[in-house]
Amino acid sequence: MSSWRDTTCGALTAADVGTRVTVAGWADTRRDHGGLVFVDLRDFSGKVQLVVNPEHAPEPAQVAHDVRNEFVLQAEGEVVKRAPEAVNPNLPTGEIEIQVEALKVLSRSTPLPFQIGDDVDDVLRLKYRWLDMRSERMQRNLRLNHVVIAAIRRAMDDMGFVDVWTPSMTKGTPEGARDFLVPIRLQPGTFYALAQSPQLFKQLCMIGGLDRYYQIATCWRDEDLRADRQFEFRQLDLEMSFVDREDVLDVMEEAVVAAFVGAGREPPPRPFPRLGYAEAMGKYGTDKPDFRYGLEIEDATELTRSSGFGVFANAPTVRYLVAPRPFSRAELGRLEEIAKEWGAKGLAYLVNDGGELRSPIAKFLAEDELRALQPDAGSTALFVADDEAVVARVLGGLRIHLARELDLAETGDELFHWIVDFPLFERDEDTGQWTFLHHPFTAPMPGDEGFEQDPGSALSQHYDLIWNGWELGSGSIRIHDAEMQQAVFRVMGMGEEEQEAKFGFLLDALKMGAPPHGGFAMGIDRFVARMAGEPDLRQVVAFPKIASGSDPLTGGPTPMPDSVLKDLGIRLR
Ligand code: ASP
């Protein structure tokens, strides 16, 4: 293998009994049993037990005596069978141990801030990530990340995709986030943005005749960090020419299945089911529903148009969901608080406690309303009456909250879904201006090309991939016509001059023979986190940032000396 070792710790089994081996790794634990010293030696492949017997090997025994956790050791000796009572059935190497004849300390360790694999605070783990990485969990996750990417690369290659490197430093691409800016010393006062995605470059590759592009692309977005967000992340980014939506979805399903197979997992069944955006918002209150549990939202708008309960009768939309529990008054109070935080004015309810109805609103409801809305015994109907968007947001949020509280999401099913038929535009909440839902390069649905007349009702050829409530990625068929692209910019309130300044190069390219094209991008770290069953991206990324935006390991970000800033033409306020 090498001059340092001729096998690895985790590889040794009863079949190796009688052979002489040299292994190297970290001292996981050391136990001094009055004479005999036991060291569990660990490397990437697993652990093996070393036994040092001072009677046979006085010098190694002396060395072993001074060994502490995480010292790096090299040990040579014979593989022997353990005594039957010492066999450890939980360890793959549990039937054997190495009778040490030579032992060397290759490197020492100061006392550790935590023991490897201990469940300590994430910030501490990240500060000492090199220690944390030695844990089984991080070894497993980083290797899974690798296996998934390797499998995806093979699949993309098999399908004829060309890996093209696109610039990180570019003019901003609008993906709905803030840009990270890079000051340019050669041109003080000017900035590149770190690419939020390779979006425009991959479209230019299609106009450039490349036909099928892909990249495991790093993207940068200045957003608040959450469980499923990091400033920088990698995505499987792809683009294809002369395709329809079906072709893109097919390639993505192929890539997902390849990743599962590569990781030795049962792949999800294809084709992945689809759901329209409007139906998703109505039934689940979100465009990334978790389908592992029911709790579907029901509509009561029609039913309550002439309700005796004014709150229902006067609200534009009335919807409810039924939780399989008869909640107590206190529980309902807490749920109402949550609903209010999300923008509801209140939370009405009907509790069916073993056949007995508890509700302050029941007396206002007519018989037909009660008959239709009354939940089954042992459950509670929760109502929100408001504008449609508020109702969706609140009930969608409550649905997730309840599923968590009632442990409804704990199934092992790998459920992938496509969400399709998104609107092309939505109103910006702050400015009231029409803005894109996906990005401004998304094509309208065939039939909706006249979107300028009525932007709010046009649908787009945008699609999202969802896995158990996580949005894995998005894509669309793009606009390949300069006129149409300009119409989208106009709807967004962008005049000719601004269009030219921001996207002149794209408009030029679209005027010089642009093929129909479309593509997709899937967040690899999100995908791997889900696959690993981890709650957040930090567990599958080697060196992530924490919520404050800091990197506990290096201590970044840091201020820069004035001299450096001066070169860049920057003065701090
Ligand atoms: N550029 C988009 C994104 O990064 C994906 C796409 O439309 O292909 O989300």
Side-chain angles (χ1 to χ4, degrees):
M1 245 188 147
S2 80
S3 66
W4 298 98
R5 60 183 178 189
D6 53 24
T7 185
T8 58
C9 299
L12 296 168
T13 66
D16 300 295
V17 168
T19 56
R20 274 187 77 85
V21 294
T22 305
V23 287
W26 286 262
D28 192 62
T29 49
R30 185 191 62 102
R31 301 176 302 282
D32 225 321
H33 280 193
L36 289 186
V37 183
F38 294 90
V39 175
D40 280 346
L41 195 70
R42 165 177 29 82
D43 67 13
F44 73 95
S45 66
K47 292 178 199 169
V48 67
Q49 177 162 289
L50 309 178
V51 199
V52 195
N53 186 332
E55 281 173 21
H56 302 154
E59 241 174 78
Q62 194 47 49
V63 175
H65 186 73
D66 295 331
V67 162
R68 294 291 173 270
N69 282 5
E70 299 311 306
F71 276 28
V72 181
L73 309 176
Q74 183 194 42
E76 196 186 325
E78 188 182 331
V79 180
V80 298
K81 244 188 153 49
R82 291 195 197 184
E85 67 278 8
V87 165
N88 179 353
N90 299 323
L91 212 61
T93 61
E95 280 181 82
I96 56 101
E97 57 198 9
I98 299 175
Q99 194 83 56
V100 173
E101 285 150 34
L103 186 65
K104 232 193 244 168
V105 172
L106 302 180
S107 172
R108 303 167 66 85
S109 169
T110 53
L112 302 168
F114 55 87
Q115 297 306 310
I116 307 302
D118 271 8
D119 190 12
V120 292
D121 177 53
D122 263 15
V123 177
L124 189 64
R125 285 176 55 208
L126 290 174
K127 180 164 159 60
Y128 298 97
R129 189 60 144 183
W130 62 87
L131 290 179
D132 183 45
M133 247 186 211
R134 292 179 201 162
S135 67
E136 236 177 271
R137 178 185 190 183
M138 285 309 297
Q139 289 279 322
R140 196 181 340 111
N141 289 351
L142 291 176
R143 283 165 203 284
L144 179 64
N145 210 325
H146 158 76
V147 164
V148 163
I149 288 182
I152 287 177
R153 283 192 182 284
R154 279 194 300 275
M156 298 312 286
D157 189 38
D158 286 346
M159 290 188 283
F161 283 79
V162 184
D163 183 347
V164 181
W165 185 48
T166 57
S168 315
M169 285 160 60
T170 175
K171 209 165 140 180
T173 340
E175 295 284 359
R178 281 199 186 83
D179 286 327
F180 281 105
L181 298 179
V182 184
I184 300 305
R185 180 186 51 83
L186 295 177
Q187 298 182 32
T190 65
F191 300 83
Y192 276 116
L194 290 181
Q196 287 189 35
S197 88
Q199 182 61 36
L200 290 175
F201 291 106
K202 66 178 174 175
Q203 289 191 236
L204 294 176
C205 285
M206 296 304 99
I207 299 173
L210 218 58
D211 206 70
R212 288 185 163 202
Y213 142 97
Y214 95 101
Q215 193 178 181
I216 304 295
T218 303
C219 305
W220 292 265
R221 297 184 192 178
D222 183 0
E223 298 179 295
D224 290 342
L225 302 189
R226 300 191 311 225
D228 62 353
R229 273 197 193 148
Q230 281 282 315
F231 286 154
E232 40 191 333
F233 57 91
R234 287 184 299 176
Q235 57 186 30
L236 164 61
D237 196 58
L238 62 88
E239 198 73 10
M240 309 160 70
S241 290
F242 304 108
V243 290
D244 299 316
R245 176 173 87 184
E246 296 313 307
D247 305 300
V248 181
L249 301 194
D250 204 52
V251 162
M252 277 309 303
E253 291 189 5
E254 195 78 27
V256 166
V257 166
F260 270 80
V261 172
R265 306 272 187 93
E266 181 72 29
R270 292 180 63 188
F272 303 164
R274 295 174 192 194
L275 191 70
Y277 171 86
E279 197 182 343
M281 293 304 286
K283 275 197 183 155
Y284 307 99
T286 170
D287 58 2
K288 40 178 183 288
D290 192 332
F291 296 98
R292 287 173 297 176
Y293 45 91
L295 289 187
E296 282 180 19
I297 298 167
E298 314 269 351
D299 197 274
T301 312
E302 280 313 307
L303 183 73
T304 54
R305 284 312 74 189
S306 50
S307 181
F309 184 44
V311 171
F312 283 1
N314 299 325
T317 303
V318 182
R319 288 184 190 146
Y320 64 102
L321 58 78
V322 178
R325 277 260 314 270
F327 288 123
S328 69
R329 176 100 38 103
E331 286 171 317
L332 288 160
R334 273 197 298 278
L335 290 174
E336 180 161 33
E337 290 285 298
I338 295 173
K340 282 184 172 163
E341 272 169 37
W342 289 327
K345 293 188 195 76
L347 187 68
Y349 59 84
L350 295 171
V351 183
N352 185 338
D353 209 344
E356 186 196 324
L357 202 60
R358 272 196 279 122
S359 167
I361 65 164
K363 57 178 176 283
F364 302 112
L365 299 179
E367 217 169 281
D368 65 321
E369 287 177 289
L370 269 179
R371 212 177 312 117
L373 300 176
Q374 175 169 332
D376 290 344
S379 52
T380 305
L382 300 164
F383 296 84
V384 178
D386 213 308
D387 288 336
E388 188 173 359
V390 175
V391 171
R393 184 169 65 232
V394 175
L395 284 177
L398 276 179
R399 182 175 174 268
I400 295 171
H401 175 83
L402 290 172
R404 216 173 281 147
E405 292 253 298
L406 306 176
D407 280 338
L408 301 178
E410 300 309 314
T411 89
D413 284 352
E414 308 308 354
L415 298 173
F416 285 81
H417 277 78
W418 293 109
I419 306 292
V420 297
D421 302 344
F422 281 79
L424 187 56
F425 297 103
E426 65 182 350
R427 291 269 189 205
D428 184 299
E429 277 188 20
D430 300 327
T431 62
Q433 173 68 52
W434 287 115
T435 181
F436 52 84
L437 224 82
H438 181 35
H439 51 52
F441 319 111
T442 300
M445 207 58 114
D448 278 341
E449 293 84 354
F451 55 81
E452 261 189 293
Q453 265 67 54
D454 181 10
S457 70
L459 293 184
S460 76
Q461 301 197 57
H462 158 196
Y463 30 81
D464 275 1
L465 181 59
I466 311 297
W467 184 6
N468 293 348
W470 278 36
E471 183 194 316
L472 287 184
S474 300
S476 58
I477 297 299
R478 326 296 186 186
I479 295 169
H480 66 280
D481 172 77
E483 297 270 320
M484 186 181 284
Q485 186 62 69
Q486 287 187 291
V488 167
F489 290 149
R490 273 198 298 279
V491 171
M492 290 166 53
M494 229 190 261
E496 295 262 336
E497 242 169 69
E498 190 181 348
Q499 295 179 20
E500 201 46 50
K502 285 191 170 149
F503 299 112
F505 65 100
L506 173 69
L507 293 172
D508 279 351
L510 289 175
K511 284 175 198 158
M512 297 184 199
H517 61 286
F520 200 83
M522 176 176 87
I524 297 272
D525 313 312
R526 278 188 190 180
F527 182 72
V528 173
R530 289 273 86 174
M531 211 162 193
E534 291 288 6
D536 59 69
L537 302 188
R538 292 193 303 274
Q539 313 306 331
V540 299
V541 171
F543 301 107
K545 315 265 186 291
I546 55 172
S548 63
S550 299
D551 167 12
L553 194 156
T554 63
T558 53
M560 282 291 145
D562 279 345
S563 55
V564 173
L565 294 180
K566 198 168 160 226
D567 274 351
L568 296 168
I570 292 176
R571 197 169 49 217
L572 296 181
R573 271 201 294 179

